[in-house]
Amino acid sequence: MEPVGVLGRLAEWMEEAAVDAALVTHPVSVAYLTGFRAEPHERLMALVVRPDRALLVVPWLEEEAACAAARGVEVRAWRDGEDPWAVVGAALGRPRRLGVEKAHLTISAWERLQESVQEGEPVDVGAEIRRLRARKTPEEIARLERAARITDEVTERALRGLEPGRTELEVAAALDLAVAAGGAVTSFATLVQSGENTARPHQPPGDRRLRPGDLVLVDFGAAWEGYRADTTRTVVLGEPDARQRELHGLVLEAHDAGIAAVRAGVTAGEVDEAARSVLRDAGLGERFIHRLGHGLGLEPHEAPSLDPGGGTVLEAGMVITIEPGVYIPGWGGIRIEDDVVVEPNGCRVLTRAGRGLRPDAP
Amino acid sequence: MEPVGVLGRLAEWMEEAAVDAALVTHPVSVAYLTGFRAEPHERLMALVVRPDRALLVVPWLEEEAACAAARGVEVRAWRDGEDPWAVVGAALGRPRRLGVEKAHLTISAWERLQESVQEGEPVDVGAEIRRLRARKTPEEIARLERAARITDEVTERALRGLEPGRTELEVAAALDLAVAAGGAVTSFATLVQSGENTARPHQPPGDRRLRPGDLVLVDFGAAWEGYRADTTRTVVLGEPDARQRELHGLVLEAHDAGIAAVRAGVTAGEVDEAARSVLRDAGLGERFIHRLGHGLGLEPHEAPSLDPGGGTVLEAGMVITIEPGVYIPGWGGIRIEDDVVVEPNGCRVLTRAGRGLRPDAP
């Protein structure tokens, strides 16, 4: 993908913070800073940023792709059997103050680096990268919009096509196939839950077959050029009963209230509370067992986190999910999730598939 | 899934190593030690092991599933907005010697733990867990066998069904659907490459359409109860040409040689060399650009690593891949990969789909 032009902004920060070399090891940060997206698994990939140069160290298997994708950085590939930490150490050049991603670099890696750095504590360059990543550039928002558009199309078609007898796994695989047919990839492992399984927000799809009257919850997204949509819809297979209608209506009201509360300058906790209070007032406060939402972009979950009481101040350009839900063990759960861009005076909703309980009548 | 009874073995090791508390944070290690598989994403999940008790700290969303799955451990759930590190700190009880997973615990996490531990360097309990994990129990091998059986069925059906005009992404999605229909999940992101794309071993599937005469490479696997098969086949769409036949024959020979070299007591490097020398003798040494294989189990890549020159001694019960390949930029690549269990006097091949270049005539 095209880099979004943030390497220079990181270098400015390094100069201000008197950090003379930074080691970036989180593959998502590497993608963000260079445009090169890769999952090197257990092999080391690292970006060394110094005032005068940036060097991307990659496993040999990634060399061709790295050279083609990464802009404005040199690429140095290492082969299986070589010691990649020696390559990184040489590139670092014994900095006085080293920046690392403290929330990604492991103790083992830090021990491997000891020979290459001078004494002293490393500085956390990861916090700055997360701060930069949280406020999306227009190019990033355009990718998220495209991801949302594909997601919406898949959602509407998939929900209309739900039929009794199919398993959750089959529905999930069909969703993934539709995402692929749209030229995209899935943002994360697609969740499809049915019946009482919908009461467990993280339960992966299984071999339970859909039955008439079931709640069916679908939580998935398409990713475009690395940028991930994330949406949830809950529908009923057939005619909803009174309780399904009532709880769905309340979740919808909480969802609307959350979205209405989003604008630059409010805290994450204030937005969470706007949605949570709707459910609390209806006696369902204890049934809303997770935060209201999270940032998204190159990762399906990233900064900011919309926790109860969370103090993070929302800024224009942040992209977040709003996803209230209620979960009643033995009965089921209902969640509605959309992606929104924070704007100075409100927000813009990116995912726009119908939110109704009946997929044919949104 | 059922735990495989290794928590006691870890406790024995801790006693020998005078480690009075261990903090296990890698979700795969938690699954291995307790039977509870979860992907908590950015939320903290940690297993605290002490001589007298084991406590599993999980996000509230995972509480029900953790209580149902984890055996022989207490479960303590924390809610969004709470500080999970305070819970972990209390459970650790200020140990004199603390074991952590150095290759998983980040510097940030270690800093959060400082208040809860006494002075001194942590001990790496992760190395012991990896050592335990590398030698599979009979229960683990049974799961890998089941995963291999599903994988083989999907492979053979998928390769026979390849048709010109379909995109790589569509073929990959169809494979995933077939894995789901078999009641399993995919081991990792399915790779489908065609034509010259087969020269790039890690390139994800794209919108290139299959054409007659193409090499088509499929690298995927089914996972059963968390245990992951991993297999690669390369076929030709239609009638193979002379070069495709020649190179495929050499890779097949290298594959056979690698498998023939596997037995308890040899080093990883010796097995790598057995396969690599076949390709080197044919003038293709520089075209085999990766290690011969890797361990697999709860992770698609785990110990041991079969690197050139690698000194790890293979032990009975280890499960590894054997996957030689040749990659020629602009032309394409061929790789054949199977999963084998190391035995005292040889090995047993788990994945057994036909390895031929023509899917209809293996």
Side-chain angles (χ1 to χ4, degrees), chain B residues 306-360:
Chain B
L306 273 68
D307 284 301
T312 309
V313 176
L314 299 189
E315 297 175 51
M318 287 179 168
V319 177
I320 57 177
T321 66
I322 299 292
E323 48 177 312
V326 295
Y327 309 94
I328 300 174
W331 180 78
I334 292 171
R335 180 169 67 257
I336 302 172
E337 174 184 25
D338 280 310
D339 307 337
V340 310
V341 187
V342 181
E343 298 189 330
N345 300 309
C347 72
R348 187 157 56 90
V349 182
L350 296 179
T351 45
R352 308 199 61 95
R355 297 177 300 166
L357 202 46
R358 289 287 302 272
D360 44 351

Side-chain angles (χ1 to χ4, degrees), chain B residues 6 13 29 86 95 114 159 173 183 222 237 246 272 278 294 307 316 329 332 340 342 348 354:
Chain B
V6 280
W13 175 85
S29 303
Q114 288 307 308
L159 294 182
L237 214 58
E246 183 200 347
D272 178 90
V278 171
H294 52 79
D307 284 301
V340 310
V342 181
R348 187 157 56 90

Side-chain angles (χ1 to χ4, degrees), chain A residues 42-119:
Chain A
E42 71 276 31
R43 291 183 176 95
L44 180 68
M45 176 171 76
L47 177 68
V48 174
V49 184
R50 290 173 58 182
D52 53 329
R53 64 191 288 220
L55 180 75
L56 179 59
V57 177
V58 297
W60 204 25
L61 283 174
E62 311 293 348
E63 183 180 29
E64 184 189 348
C67 289
R71 307 297 166 83
V73 302
E74 296 167 60
V75 173
R76 164 74 164 82
W78 61 272
R79 297 173 77 133
D80 286 352
E82 244 190 297
D83 177 9
W85 289 103
V87 178
V88 165
L92 283 172
R94 293 193 71 74
R96 277 163 301 134
R97 248 162 93 87
L98 173 66
V100 300
E101 294 185 283
K102 285 188 173 183
H104 187 265
L105 199 74
T106 64
I107 298 181
S108 293
W110 180 239
E111 289 178 351
R112 298 290 293 274
L113 274 172
Q114 289 306 308
E115 283 178 25
S116 311
V117 296
Q118 299 185 34
E119 295 218 350

Side-chain angles (χ1 to χ4, degrees), chain A residues 13-282:
Chain A
W13 175 86
M14 287 171 60
E15 197 175 330
E16 281 169 31
V19 168
D20 48 340
L23 178 68
V24 176
T25 47
H26 189 1
V28 173
S29 303
V30 170
Y32 180 65
L33 294 169
T34 69
F36 177 55
R37 277 186 292 140
E39 179 37 78
H41 300 287
E42 71 276 31
R43 291 183 176 95
L44 180 68
M45 176 171 76
L47 177 68
V48 174
V49 184
R50 290 173 58 182
D52 53 329
R53 64 191 288 220
L55 180 75
L56 179 59
V57 177
V58 297
W60 204 25
L61 283 174
E62 311 293 348
E63 183 180 29
E64 184 189 348
C67 289
R71 307 297 166 83
V73 302
E74 296 167 60
V75 173
R76 164 74 164 82
W78 61 272
R79 297 173 77 133
D80 286 352
E82 244 190 297
D83 177 9
W85 289 103
V87 178
V88 165
L92 283 172
R94 293 193 71 74
R96 277 163 301 134
R97 248 162 93 87
L98 173 66
V100 300
E101 294 185 283
K102 285 188 173 183
H104 187 265
L105 199 74
T106 64
I107 298 181
S108 293
W110 180 239
E111 289 178 351
R112 298 290 293 274
L113 274 172
Q114 289 306 308
E115 283 178 25
S116 311
V117 296
Q118 299 185 34
E119 295 218 350
E121 287 294 300
V123 176
D124 187 19
V125 68
E128 175 62 12
I129 295 173
R130 283 196 298 280
R131 204 180 63 81
L132 287 171
R133 277 180 54 200
R135 288 176 322 212
K136 270 64 183 175
T137 65
E139 294 80 8
E140 291 180 286
I141 290 174
R143 290 173 194 169
L144 285 162
E145 282 173 332
R146 177 96 183 240
R149 219 153 48 230
I150 298 168
T151 303
D152 286 346
E153 284 165 21
V154 172
T155 304
E156 299 205 322
R157 205 166 47 223
L159 295 183
R160 280 195 305 269
L162 289 178
E163 278 175 14
R166 299 183 66 195
T167 68
E168 295 168 351
L169 277 165
E170 287 167 356
V171 173
L175 270 166
D176 293 351
L177 188 61
V179 170
V185 296
T186 49
S187 294
F188 50 88
T190 295
L191 287 185
V192 173
Q193 300 160 342
S194 63
E196 63 202 32
N197 290 344
T198 54
R200 302 181 197 100
H202 277 186
Q203 179 163 310
D207 52 13
R208 185 184 182 284
R209 292 185 189 280
L210 310 194
R211 296 198 288 258
D214 269 353
L215 286 166
V216 181
L217 184 151
V218 169
D219 183 350
F220 85 109
W224 183 261
E225 293 262 307
Y227 285 79
R228 299 163 194 256
D230 179 4
T231 181
T232 305
R233 292 293 182 267
T234 310
V235 299
V236 170
L237 213 58
E239 196 56 42
D241 64 28
R243 193 170 190 205
Q244 288 166 340
R245 281 186 203 279
E246 183 200 346
L247 294 185
H248 181 267
L250 287 163
V251 173
L252 201 56
E253 199 183 314
H255 190 249
D256 284 338
I259 288 174
V262 175
R263 62 179 165 76
V266 302
T267 65
E270 286 167 330
V271 178
D272 178 89
E273 178 58 19
R276 194 170 301 274
S277 62
V278 171
L279 297 171
R280 192 187 305 116
D281 292 350

Side-chain angles (χ1 to χ4, degrees), chain B residues 72-98:
Chain B
V73 302
E74 296 166 61
V75 173
R76 164 74 164 83
W78 61 273
R79 297 172 77 132
D80 286 352
E82 245 190 298
D83 177 10
W85 289 103
V87 179
V88 165
L92 284 172
R94 294 193 70 74
R96 278 162 299 135
R97 250 163 92 88
L98 173 66

Side-chain angles (χ1 to χ4, degrees), chain A residues 325-343:
Chain A
V326 295
Y327 309 95
I328 299 175
W331 180 78
I334 292 171
R335 181 169 65 256
I336 302 173
E337 174 183 25
D338 280 311
D339 307 338
V340 310
V341 188
V342 181
E343 297 190 332

Side-chain angles (χ1 to χ4, degrees), chain B residues 102-122:
Chain B
K102 286 189 173 182
H104 186 265
L105 199 73
T106 65
I107 298 180
S108 292
W110 180 238
E111 289 178 350
R112 297 290 295 275
L113 274 173
Q114 288 307 308
E115 284 178 24
S116 312
V117 296
Q118 300 186 34
E119 295 217 351
E121 288 295 299

